[in-house]
Amino acid sequence: MDHMSGPYLIRGSVSLPEAELMWRFSRSSGPGGQHVNTSDSQVELRFDLARTEALPEVWKQRALAKLAGRLVDGVVTVRASEHRSQWRNREAAAVRLAALLAEATAPPPKPRRPTRIPRGINERRLREKKQRSDTKRGRTGRDWG
């Protein structure tokens, strides 16, 4: 019962390095009868982003920059305590870490190329604008009283 359910893919063929994951278990707050006080169901998963060899260097730099706010000495921490079983919390924490790293290592989006407005469209807009203003000008009721 101790092995995780398969490697957690980050992106492509890169997955969470099992050996570099540091687990800590502690008592969870929240529901669950008397048993909850004795079981360590809250899971804290730590991953040393700064020292890892499992990620390509480019990804690592990207992730370090993006996650700078939530790193402590280059270590990223994920907590899970929503399930009552430690096992499910471990799953949740690993999935969350994989998702976090996937997002943090994603390449920056391509810069947006501004689109040019065709001249015809602009001219039509101005023409319609002029028509509308003429219509409204014609409404000042001087002549018919």
Side-chain angles (χ1 to χ4, degrees):
M1 180 79 184
D2 201 3
H3 72 287
M4 302 288 291
S5 67
Y8 289 93
L9 282 182
I10 295 175
R11 222 178 40 255
S13 58
V14 182
S15 57
L16 283 181
E18 206 86 14
E20 296 183 30
L21 300 179
M22 297 167 280
W23 297 94
R24 254 189 49 215
F25 307 104
S26 54
R27 268 174 257 176
S28 203
S29 64
Q34 294 86 331
H35 175 66
V36 79
N37 304 325
T38 58
S39 62
D40 292 342
S41 62
Q42 174 169 294
V43 171
E44 186 179 287
L45 173 56
R46 294 167 61 222
F47 176 63
D48 196 336
L49 191 56
R51 294 199 193 77
T52 183
E53 299 292 309
L55 298 179
E57 193 54 38
V58 194
W59 285 25
K60 198 157 101 170
Q61 294 314 319
R62 239 184 252 151
L64 284 169
K66 273 200 189 153
L67 299 175
R70 48 177 302 177
L71 292 177
V72 183
D73 301 335
V75 176
V76 63
T77 307
V78 176
R79 270 201 198 87
S81 61
E82 61 268 25
H83 300 294
R84 277 178 63 175
S85 90
Q86 183 193 94
W87 178 248
R88 304 230 323 259
N89 279 333
R90 286 177 68 156
E91 296 276 293
V95 168
R96 215 171 286 168
L97 180 63
L100 185 70
L101 289 176
E103 200 178 308
T105 57
K110 289 199 179 83
R112 178 181 171 279
R113 287 204 16 240
T115 51
R116 297 229 10 235
I117 299 171
R119 214 175 74 219
I121 287 183
N122 215 6
E123 283 172 0
R124 194 180 81 198
R125 182 179 65 88
L126 293 173
R127 221 179 23 253
E128 285 171 359
K129 218 167 128 91
K130 189 145 179 45
Q131 259 177 353
R132 186 104 187 111
S133 93
D134 288 348
T135 307
K136 288 192 170 189
R137 265 234 325 280
R139 285 186 188 149
T140 52
R142 281 189 303 267
D143 309 335
W144 44 285

